[in-house]
Coordinates of all heavy atoms in Angstrom, one line a residue:
M284 N -13.3 159.3 164.6 CA -14.5 158.7 164.0 C -14.1 157.2 163.7 O -13.1 156.9 163.2 CB -14.9 159.4 162.8 CG -16.2 159.1 162.3 SD -17.3 160.4 162.8 CE -18.8 159.6 162.7
L285 N -15.1 156.3 164.0 CA -14.8 154.9 163.7 C -15.1 154.7 162.3 O -16.0 155.2 161.6 CB -15.8 154.1 164.6 CG -15.6 154.3 166.1 CD1 -16.6 153.5 166.9 CD2 -14.2 153.8 166.5
R286 N -14.2 153.8 161.7 CA -14.2 153.6 160.3 C -15.1 152.5 159.8 O -15.5 152.5 158.6 CB -12.8 153.3 159.8 CG -11.9 154.5 160.1 CD -10.5 154.2 159.6 NE -9.5 155.1 160.2 CZ -9.2 156.3 159.7 NH1 -9.8 156.7 158.6 NH2 -8.4 157.1 160.3
N287 N -15.5 151.5 160.6 CA -16.3 150.4 160.1 C -17.2 149.9 161.1 O -17.0 150.1 162.3 CB -15.4 149.3 159.5 CG -14.5 148.7 160.6 OD1 -15.0 148.2 161.6 ND2 -13.2 148.6 160.4
P288 N -18.3 149.3 160.7 CA -19.3 148.9 161.7 C -18.8 147.9 162.7 O -19.2 147.9 163.9 CB -20.4 148.2 160.8 CG -20.2 148.7 159.5 CD -18.7 149.0 159.3
E289 N -17.9 147.0 162.3 CA -17.4 146.0 163.3 C -16.6 146.8 164.4 O -16.7 146.4 165.6 CB -16.5 145.0 162.6 CG -17.2 144.1 161.6 CD -17.4 144.7 160.3 OE1 -16.7 145.7 159.9 OE2 -18.4 144.3 159.6
E290 N -15.8 147.7 164.0 CA -15.0 148.5 165.0 C -16.0 149.3 165.9 O -15.8 149.4 167.1 CB -14.1 149.5 164.3 CG -13.2 150.3 165.2 CD -12.3 151.2 164.4 OE1 -12.1 151.1 163.2 OE2 -11.8 152.2 165.1
A291 N -17.0 149.9 165.3 CA -18.0 150.6 166.1 C -18.7 149.7 167.1 O -18.8 150.0 168.3 CB -19.0 151.3 165.2
D292 N -19.1 148.6 166.7 CA -19.8 147.6 167.5 C -18.9 147.2 168.7 O -19.3 147.2 169.8 CB -20.3 146.4 166.7 CG -21.1 145.4 167.6 OD1 -22.1 145.9 168.2 OD2 -20.7 144.3 167.7
S293 N -17.7 146.9 168.4 CA -16.8 146.4 169.4 C -16.5 147.6 170.4 O -16.5 147.3 171.6 CB -15.4 146.0 168.8 OG -14.5 145.7 169.7
T294 N -16.3 148.8 169.9 CA -16.1 149.9 170.8 C -17.3 150.2 171.7 O -17.2 150.5 172.9 CB -15.7 151.1 170.0 OG1 -14.5 150.8 169.2 CG2 -15.4 152.3 170.9
E295 N -18.5 150.2 171.0 CA -19.7 150.5 171.8 C -20.0 149.4 172.8 O -20.4 149.8 174.0 CB -20.9 150.6 170.8 CG -20.8 151.8 169.9 CD -21.8 151.8 168.8 OE1 -22.7 150.8 168.7 OE2 -21.8 152.7 168.0
R296 N -19.7 148.2 172.5 CA -19.9 147.1 173.5 C -19.0 147.3 174.7 O -19.4 147.1 175.8 CB -19.7 145.7 172.8 CG -20.7 145.3 171.9 CD -20.3 144.0 171.2 NE -20.0 142.9 172.1 CZ -20.9 142.0 172.5 NH1 -22.1 142.0 172.0 NH2 -20.5 141.0 173.3
A297 N -17.7 147.6 174.4 CA -16.7 147.9 175.4 C -17.1 149.0 176.3 O -17.0 148.9 177.5 CB -15.3 148.1 174.8
L298 N -17.6 150.1 175.7 CA -18.1 151.2 176.5 C -19.2 150.9 177.5 O -19.1 151.2 178.7 CB -18.5 152.4 175.6 CG -19.1 153.6 176.3 CD1 -18.0 154.4 177.0 CD2 -19.9 154.4 175.3
V299 N -20.2 150.3 177.0 CA -21.4 149.9 177.8 C -20.9 148.9 178.9 O -21.3 149.1 180.1 CB -22.5 149.4 177.0 CG1 -23.7 148.9 177.9 CG2 -23.0 150.4 176.0
G300 N -20.1 148.0 178.5 CA -19.6 147.0 179.5 C -18.7 147.7 180.6 O -18.8 147.4 181.8
A301 N -17.9 148.6 180.2 CA -17.0 149.3 181.1 C -17.9 150.2 182.1 O -17.6 150.2 183.3 CB -16.1 150.2 180.4
V302 N -18.9 150.8 181.6 CA -19.8 151.6 182.5 C -20.5 150.7 183.5 O -20.6 151.0 184.7 CB -20.8 152.4 181.7 CG1 -21.9 153.0 182.6 CG2 -20.1 153.5 180.9
M303 N -20.9 149.5 183.1 CA -21.6 148.6 184.0 C -20.6 148.0 185.0 O -21.0 147.7 186.2 CB -22.3 147.4 183.3 CG -23.6 147.9 182.6 SD -24.6 146.5 182.1 CE -23.6 145.6 180.9
A304 N -19.3 147.9 184.6 CA -18.3 147.4 185.5 C -17.8 148.5 186.5 O -17.4 148.3 187.6 CB -17.1 146.9 184.8
D305 N -17.9 149.8 186.0 CA -17.4 150.9 186.8 C -18.3 152.1 186.5 O -18.0 152.9 185.6 CB -15.9 151.2 186.5 CG -15.4 152.4 187.3 OD1 -16.1 153.0 188.2 OD2 -14.2 152.8 187.0
S306 N -19.3 152.3 187.3 CA -20.3 153.3 187.0 C -19.8 154.7 187.1 O -20.4 155.7 186.6 CB -21.6 153.1 187.8 OG -21.3 153.3 189.2
S307 N -18.6 154.9 187.8 CA -18.1 156.2 188.0 C -17.7 156.8 186.6 O -17.6 158.1 186.5 CB -16.9 156.2 188.9 OG -15.8 155.6 188.3
L308 N -17.5 156.0 185.6 CA -17.3 156.5 184.2 C -18.4 157.3 183.7 O -18.2 158.2 182.9 CB -17.0 155.3 183.3 CG -15.8 154.4 183.6 CD1 -15.8 153.2 182.7 CD2 -14.5 155.3 183.4
M309 N -19.6 157.1 184.2 CA -20.7 157.9 183.7 C -20.5 159.4 184.0 O -21.0 160.2 183.3 CB -22.0 157.4 184.4 CG -22.7 156.3 183.7 SD -23.2 156.6 181.9 CE -24.7 157.5 182.2
G310 N -19.9 159.7 185.1 CA -19.6 161.1 185.4 C -18.8 161.8 184.4 O -19.0 163.0 184.2
R311 N -18.0 161.1 183.6 CA -17.2 161.7 182.5 C -17.9 161.7 181.2 O -17.6 162.5 180.3 CB -15.9 161.0 182.4 CG -15.0 161.2 183.6 CD -13.6 160.7 183.3 NE -13.5 159.4 183.9 CZ -12.6 158.5 183.7 NH1 -11.7 158.7 182.8 NH2 -12.6 157.3 184.3
I312 N -18.9 160.8 181.0 CA -19.4 160.7 179.6 C -20.9 161.0 179.6 O -21.5 161.1 178.5 CB -19.2 159.3 179.0 CG1 -19.8 158.2 179.9 CG2 -17.7 159.1 178.8 CD1 -19.6 156.8 179.3
R313 N -21.6 161.2 180.7 CA -23.0 161.5 180.7 C -23.3 162.8 179.9 O -22.6 163.8 180.1 CB -23.6 161.6 182.1 CG -25.0 162.0 182.2 CD -25.9 160.8 181.6 NE -27.3 161.1 181.7 CZ -28.1 161.4 180.7 NH1 -27.5 161.5 179.5 NH2 -29.3 161.6 180.8
G314 N -24.2 162.7 179.0 CA -24.5 163.9 178.2 C -23.8 163.9 176.9 O -24.2 164.6 176.0
R315 N -22.8 163.0 176.7 CA -22.1 163.0 175.4 C -22.7 162.0 174.5 O -22.5 162.0 173.3 CB -20.7 162.7 175.6 CG -19.9 163.8 176.4 CD -18.5 163.4 176.5 NE -17.8 164.4 177.3 CZ -16.5 164.5 177.5 NH1 -15.8 163.7 176.9 NH2 -16.0 165.5 178.2
L316 N -23.4 161.0 175.0 CA -24.0 159.9 174.2 C -25.5 159.8 174.5 O -25.9 159.9 175.7 CB -23.4 158.6 174.5 CG -21.9 158.4 174.2 CD1 -21.3 157.1 174.7 CD2 -21.7 158.4 172.6
E317 N -26.3 159.5 173.6 CA -27.7 159.2 173.7 C -28.0 157.8 173.2 O -27.1 157.3 172.4 CB -28.5 160.3 172.9 CG -28.4 161.7 173.5 CD -28.9 161.8 174.9 OE1 -29.8 161.1 175.3 OE2 -28.3 162.6 175.6
P318 N -29.1 157.2 173.5 CA -29.4 155.9 173.0 C -29.2 155.8 171.5 O -28.8 154.8 170.9 CB -30.8 155.6 173.5 CG -30.9 156.4 174.7 CD -30.1 157.7 174.5
S319 N -29.6 156.9 170.8 CA -29.6 156.9 169.3 C -28.1 157.0 168.8 O -27.9 156.8 167.6 CB -30.4 158.1 168.8 OG -29.9 159.3 169.2
S320 N -27.1 157.2 169.7 CA -25.7 157.3 169.2 C -25.2 156.0 168.9 O -24.1 155.9 168.2 CB -24.9 157.9 170.4 OG -25.3 159.2 170.7
F321 N -25.8 154.9 169.4 CA -25.3 153.6 169.2 C -25.7 152.9 167.9 O -26.9 153.0 167.5 CB -25.7 152.7 170.4 CG -25.0 153.1 171.6 CD1 -25.6 154.0 172.4 CD2 -23.8 152.5 172.0 CE1 -25.0 154.4 173.6 CE2 -23.2 152.9 173.2 CZ -23.8 153.9 174.0
S322 N -24.8 152.3 167.2 CA -25.2 151.6 165.9 C -26.0 150.3 166.1 O -26.7 149.9 165.2 CB -23.9 151.3 165.1 OG -23.0 150.5 165.8
C323 N -25.8 149.8 167.3 CA -26.6 148.5 167.6 C -27.8 148.9 168.5 O -27.6 149.5 169.6 CB -25.6 147.6 168.4 SG -26.4 146.2 169.1
S324 N -29.0 148.6 168.1 CA -30.2 149.0 168.8 C -30.2 148.4 170.2 O -30.7 149.1 171.1 CB -31.4 148.6 168.0 OG -31.5 147.2 167.9
E325 N -29.7 147.2 170.4 CA -29.7 146.6 171.8 C -28.9 147.5 172.7 O -29.2 147.7 173.9 CB -29.2 145.2 171.7 CG -30.1 144.2 171.0 CD -29.9 144.1 169.5 OE1 -29.1 144.9 169.0 OE2 -30.6 143.3 168.9
L326 N -27.7 148.0 172.2 CA -26.9 148.8 173.1 C -27.6 150.2 173.4 O -27.5 150.7 174.5 CB -25.6 149.1 172.4 CG -24.7 147.8 172.3 CD1 -23.4 148.2 171.5 CD2 -24.3 147.3 173.6
G327 N -28.3 150.7 172.4 CA -29.1 151.9 172.7 C -30.1 151.7 173.7 O -30.3 152.6 174.6
V328 N -30.8 150.6 173.7 CA -31.8 150.3 174.7 C -31.2 150.2 176.1 O -31.6 150.7 177.1 CB -32.6 149.0 174.3 CG1 -33.6 148.6 175.5 CG2 -33.4 149.3 173.1
A329 N -30.1 149.4 176.1 CA -29.3 149.3 177.4 C -28.9 150.6 177.9 O -29.0 150.9 179.1 CB -28.2 148.3 177.2
W330 N -28.4 151.5 177.0 CA -27.9 152.8 177.4 C -29.0 153.7 178.0 O -28.8 154.4 178.9 CB -27.2 153.5 176.2 CG -26.4 154.7 176.6 CD1 -26.8 156.0 176.4 CD2 -25.2 154.7 177.3 NE1 -25.8 156.8 177.0 CE2 -24.8 156.1 177.5 CE3 -24.4 153.7 177.8 CZ2 -23.7 156.5 178.2 CZ3 -23.2 154.1 178.5 CH2 -22.9 155.4 178.6
S331 N -30.2 153.5 177.4 CA -31.3 154.3 178.0 C -31.6 153.9 179.4 O -31.8 154.8 180.3 CB -32.6 154.0 177.1 OG -33.7 154.6 177.7
A332 N -31.5 152.6 179.8 CA -31.7 152.2 181.1 C -30.5 152.7 182.0 O -30.8 153.1 183.2 CB -31.8 150.7 181.2
I333 N -29.3 152.6 181.5 CA -28.2 153.1 182.3 C -28.3 154.6 182.6 O -28.1 155.0 183.7 CB -26.9 152.8 181.5 CG1 -26.6 151.3 181.5 CG2 -25.7 153.6 182.1 CD1 -25.5 150.9 180.5
Q334 N -28.7 155.4 181.6 CA -28.9 156.8 181.8 C -30.0 157.0 182.9 O -29.8 157.9 183.8 CB -29.4 157.5 180.6 CG -28.3 157.7 179.6 CD -28.8 158.4 178.3 OE1 -29.9 158.1 177.8 NE2 -28.0 159.3 177.8
K335 N -31.1 156.3 182.9 CA -32.2 156.5 183.8 C -31.7 156.1 185.2 O -32.0 156.9 186.2 CB -33.4 155.7 183.4 CG -34.1 156.3 182.2 CD -35.3 155.4 181.8 CE -35.8 156.2 180.6 NZ -36.8 155.7 179.8
L336 N -31.0 155.0 185.3 CA -30.5 154.7 186.7 C -29.5 155.7 187.2 O -29.6 156.2 188.4 CB -29.7 153.3 186.6 CG -30.6 152.1 186.4 CD1 -29.8 150.9 185.9 CD2 -31.4 151.8 187.6
W337 N -28.6 156.2 186.4 CA -27.6 157.2 186.8 C -28.3 158.5 187.2 O -28.0 159.1 188.2 CB -26.6 157.4 185.7 CG -25.6 158.4 186.0 CD1 -25.6 159.8 185.6 CD2 -24.4 158.3 186.8 NE1 -24.5 160.4 186.1 CE2 -23.7 159.5 186.8 CE3 -23.8 157.2 187.4 CZ2 -22.6 159.8 187.5 CZ3 -22.6 157.4 188.1 CH2 -22.0 158.7 188.1
D338 N -29.2 158.9 186.4 CA -29.9 160.2 186.6 C -30.7 160.1 187.9 O -30.9 161.2 188.6 CB -30.8 160.6 185.5 CG -30.0 161.0 184.2 OD1 -28.8 161.2 184.3 OD2 -30.6 161.1 183.1
N339 N -31.2 158.9 188.3 CA -31.9 158.8 189.5 C -31.1 158.5 190.7 O -31.6 158.3 191.8 CB -33.0 157.6 189.4 CG -34.1 158.0 188.5 OD1 -34.5 159.2 188.4 ND2 -34.7 157.0 187.8
G340 N -29.7 158.5 190.5 CA -28.8 158.2 191.6 C -28.7 156.8 192.0 O -28.2 156.4 193.1
D341 N -29.2 155.9 191.2 CA -29.2 154.4 191.5 C -27.9 153.9 191.0 O -27.2 154.4 190.1 CB -30.3 153.7 190.8 CG -31.7 154.2 191.3 OD1 -31.8 154.5 192.5 OD2 -32.7 154.2 190.5
S342 N -27.5 152.7 191.5 CA -26.3 152.0 191.0 C -26.5 151.6 189.6 O -27.6 151.3 189.1 CB -26.0 150.8 191.9 OG -27.0 149.8 191.8
V343 N -25.4 151.5 188.9 CA -25.4 151.0 187.5 C -24.5 149.8 187.5 O -23.2 149.9 187.6 CB -24.9 152.1 186.6 CG1 -24.7 151.6 185.1 CG2 -25.7 153.3 186.6
D344 N -25.1 148.6 187.4 CA -24.3 147.4 187.2 C -25.2 146.4 186.5 O -26.4 146.8 186.1 CB -23.9 146.8 188.6 CG -25.0 146.7 189.6 OD1 -26.1 146.3 189.1 OD2 -24.8 146.9 190.8
L345 N -24.7 145.2 186.2 CA -25.5 144.3 185.5 C -26.9 144.0 186.1 O -27.9 144.0 185.4 CB -24.7 142.9 185.3 CG -25.4 141.8 184.6 CD1 -25.8 142.2 183.2 CD2 -24.6 140.5 184.6
L346 N -26.9 143.8 187.4 CA -28.2 143.5 188.0 C -29.2 144.7 188.0 O -30.4 144.5 187.7 CB -28.0 143.1 189.5 CG -27.3 141.7 189.7 CD1 -27.1 141.5 191.2 CD2 -28.1 140.6 189.1
S347 N -28.7 145.9 188.2 CA -29.6 147.0 188.2 C -30.1 147.4 186.8 O -31.2 147.7 186.6 CB -29.0 148.2 188.9 OG -27.8 148.7 188.2
V348 N -29.2 147.2 185.8 CA -29.5 147.5 184.4 C -30.5 146.5 184.0 O -31.6 146.8 183.4 CB -28.3 147.5 183.5 CG1 -28.7 147.6 182.1 CG2 -27.4 148.7 183.9
S349 N -30.3 145.2 184.2 CA -31.2 144.2 183.8 C -32.6 144.3 184.5 O -33.6 144.2 183.9 CB -30.7 142.8 184.0 OG -30.4 142.5 185.3
G350 N -32.6 144.7 185.8 CA -33.8 145.0 186.5 C -34.6 146.1 185.9 O -35.8 146.1 185.8
K351 N -33.9 147.2 185.6 CA -34.5 148.4 185.1 C -35.1 148.1 183.7 O -36.3 148.4 183.4 CB -33.5 149.5 184.9 CG -34.1 150.8 184.4 CD -35.0 151.4 185.4 CE -35.4 152.8 185.1 NZ -36.4 153.4 186.0
L352 N -34.4 147.3 182.9 CA -34.9 146.9 181.6 C -36.1 146.0 181.7 O -37.1 146.2 181.0 CB -33.8 146.2 180.8 CG -32.7 147.2 180.3 CD1 -31.5 146.4 179.8 CD2 -33.2 148.0 179.1
T353 N -36.1 145.1 182.7 CA -37.3 144.3 182.9 C -38.5 145.1 183.3 O -39.6 144.9 182.8 CB -36.9 143.2 184.0 OG1 -35.9 142.4 183.6 CG2 -38.1 142.4 184.4
N354 N -38.3 146.1 184.2 CA -39.3 147.0 184.7 C -39.9 147.8 183.5 O -41.1 148.1 183.5 CB -38.9 147.9 185.8 CG -38.7 147.1 187.1 OD1 -39.1 146.0 187.3 ND2 -37.9 147.7 188.0
M355 N -39.0 148.1 182.6 CA -39.4 148.9 181.4 C -40.0 148.0 180.3 O -40.5 148.6 179.3 CB -38.2 149.7 180.8 CG -37.6 150.7 181.8 SD -36.0 151.3 181.2 CE -36.4 152.1 179.7
G356 N -40.0 146.7 180.5 CA -40.4 145.8 179.5 C -39.5 145.7 178.3 O -40.0 145.4 177.2
L357 N -38.2 146.0 178.5 CA -37.3 146.1 177.4 C -36.1 145.2 177.5 O -35.1 145.3 176.7 CB -36.8 147.6 177.2 CG -37.9 148.6 176.8 CD1 -37.3 150.0 176.9 CD2 -38.4 148.3 175.5
L358 N -36.1 144.2 178.4 CA -35.0 143.3 178.5 C -34.7 142.6 177.2 O -33.5 142.5 176.8 CB -35.2 142.4 179.7 CG -34.0 141.4 180.0 CD1 -32.7 142.2 180.3 CD2 -34.3 140.5 181.1
N359 N -35.7 142.1 176.6 CA -35.5 141.3 175.3 C -35.0 142.3 174.2 O -34.2 141.9 173.4 CB -36.7 140.6 174.9 CG -37.0 139.4 175.7 OD1 -36.1 138.8 176.3 ND2 -38.3 139.0 175.7
A360 N -35.5 143.5 174.2 CA -35.1 144.5 173.2 C -33.6 144.9 173.4 O -32.9 145.3 172.4 CB -36.0 145.7 173.3
A361 N -33.1 144.7 174.6 CA -31.7 145.0 174.9 C -30.8 143.7 174.7 O -29.7 143.7 175.1 CB -31.6 145.5 176.3
G362 N -31.4 142.7 174.2 CA -30.6 141.5 173.9 C -30.7 140.4 174.9 O -30.1 139.4 174.8
G363 N -31.3 140.7 176.1 CA -31.5 139.7 177.1 C -30.3 139.7 178.1 O -29.3 140.4 177.9
I364 N -30.4 139.0 179.1 CA -29.4 139.0 180.2 C -28.1 138.4 179.7 O -27.0 138.9 180.1 CB -29.9 138.2 181.4 CG1 -28.9 138.4 182.6 CG2 -30.1 136.7 181.2 CD1 -28.9 139.8 183.2
G365 N -28.1 137.4 178.8 CA -26.9 136.9 178.2 C -26.1 137.9 177.5 O -24.9 138.0 177.6
F366 N -26.8 138.7 176.7 CA -26.1 139.8 175.9 C -25.5 140.8 176.8 O -24.3 141.2 176.7 CB -27.0 140.4 174.9 CG -26.4 141.6 174.1 CD1 -25.5 141.3 173.1 CD2 -26.8 142.9 174.4 CE1 -25.0 142.4 172.4 CE2 -26.2 143.9 173.7 CZ -25.3 143.7 172.7
L367 N -26.3 141.2 177.8 CA -25.8 142.2 178.8 C -24.6 141.7 179.5 O -23.6 142.4 179.7 CB -26.9 142.6 179.8 CG -28.1 143.4 179.2 CD1 -29.2 143.5 180.2 CD2 -27.7 144.7 178.6
S368 N -24.6 140.5 179.9 CA -23.5 139.9 180.6 C -22.3 139.8 179.8 O -21.1 140.1 180.2 CB -23.9 138.4 181.1 OG -22.8 137.8 181.8
S369 N -22.4 139.5 178.5 CA -21.3 139.5 177.6 C -20.6 140.8 177.4 O -19.4 140.9 177.1 CB -21.7 139.0 176.2 OG -22.4 139.9 175.5
L370 N -21.4 141.9 177.7 CA -20.8 143.2 177.6 C -19.7 143.5 178.7 O -18.8 144.2 178.4 CB -21.9 144.3 177.7 CG -22.9 144.3 176.6 CD1 -24.0 145.3 176.9 CD2 -22.3 144.5 175.2
L371 N -19.9 142.8 179.8 CA -18.9 142.9 180.8 C -17.5 142.3 180.4 O -16.5 142.8 180.7 CB -19.3 142.3 182.1 CG -20.5 143.0 182.8 CD1 -21.0 142.2 184.0 CD2 -20.1 144.4 183.3
D372 N -17.6 141.3 179.6 CA -16.4 140.7 179.0 C -15.8 141.6 178.0 O -14.6 141.6 177.8 CB -16.7 139.3 178.3 CG -17.2 138.3 179.3 OD1 -16.8 138.4 180.5 OD2 -18.0 137.4 178.9
S373 N -16.6 142.4 177.3 CA -16.1 143.3 176.3 C -15.4 144.6 176.9 O -14.5 145.1 176.3 CB -17.3 143.8 175.4 OG -17.9 142.8 174.7
G374 N -16.0 145.1 178.0 CA -15.5 146.3 178.5 C -15.0 146.3 180.0 O -14.2 147.1 180.4
G375 N -15.4 145.3 180.7 CA -15.1 145.3 182.1 C -13.6 145.1 182.4 O -13.1 145.5 183.5
D376 N -12.9 144.5 181.5 CA -11.4 144.2 181.7 C -10.5 145.1 180.9 O -9.3 144.9 180.8 CB -11.1 142.8 181.5 CG -11.4 142.3 180.1 OD1 -11.8 143.1 179.3 OD2 -11.2 141.1 179.9
G377 N -11.1 146.1 180.2 CA -10.3 147.0 179.4 C -10.0 146.6 178.0 O -9.2 147.2 177.3
E378 N -10.6 145.5 177.6 CA -10.3 145.0 176.2 C -11.1 145.8 175.2 O -12.1 146.3 175.5 CB -10.7 143.5 176.1 CG -9.7 142.7 176.8 CD -10.0 141.2 176.6 OE1 -10.7 140.8 175.7 OE2 -9.4 140.4 177.3

């Protein structure tokens, strides 16, 4: 269990970023997390789009996630493209 909000936020950002960098990770974690599992509402919204893409057999990456969020009318609720892009820096390189 994570002990503080800063640690949770960092870990959650890294997880979402890692999935966007390597969607094969979804095969191991799908069903273990729901959008409500995230302490940051923007990450929960992004996770919802990731789940929908994965469940439909679509690719999961920055472009597809931002496109899905745009189609859902939720890109701003997910923090915008800048926030989503920053997640790749959080998780895409294993930090």
Side-chain angles (χ1 to χ4, degrees):
M284 194 100 203
L285 300 174
R286 299 180 195 274
N287 62 56
E289 294 82 22
E290 183 181 342
D292 183 56
S293 175
T294 301
E295 291 171 3
R296 288 173 57 95
L298 173 72
V299 175
V302 169
M303 285 196 296
D305 179 5
S306 62
S307 70
L308 295 171
M309 277 298 281
R311 289 190 265 166
I312 59 176
R313 179 65 178 106
R315 295 182 184 190
L316 295 170
E317 295 300 324
S319 61
S320 302
F321 292 88
S322 61
C323 172
S324 63
E325 291 86 355
L326 293 173
V328 173
W330 193 254
S331 175
I333 289 169
Q334 285 181 320
K335 288 177 180 175
L336 288 165
W337 178 262
D338 291 347
N339 288 332
D341 297 327
S342 64
V343 175
D344 56 34
L345 177 60
L346 292 176
S347 62
V348 172
S349 62
K351 184 67 168 176
L352 287 164
T353 298
N354 291 341
M355 294 167 64
L357 294 173
L358 183 60
N359 287 336
I364 191 70
F366 177 74
L367 294 173
S368 180
S369 75
L370 298 177
L371 292 173
D372 296 333
S373 298
D376 60 3
E378 288 183 16

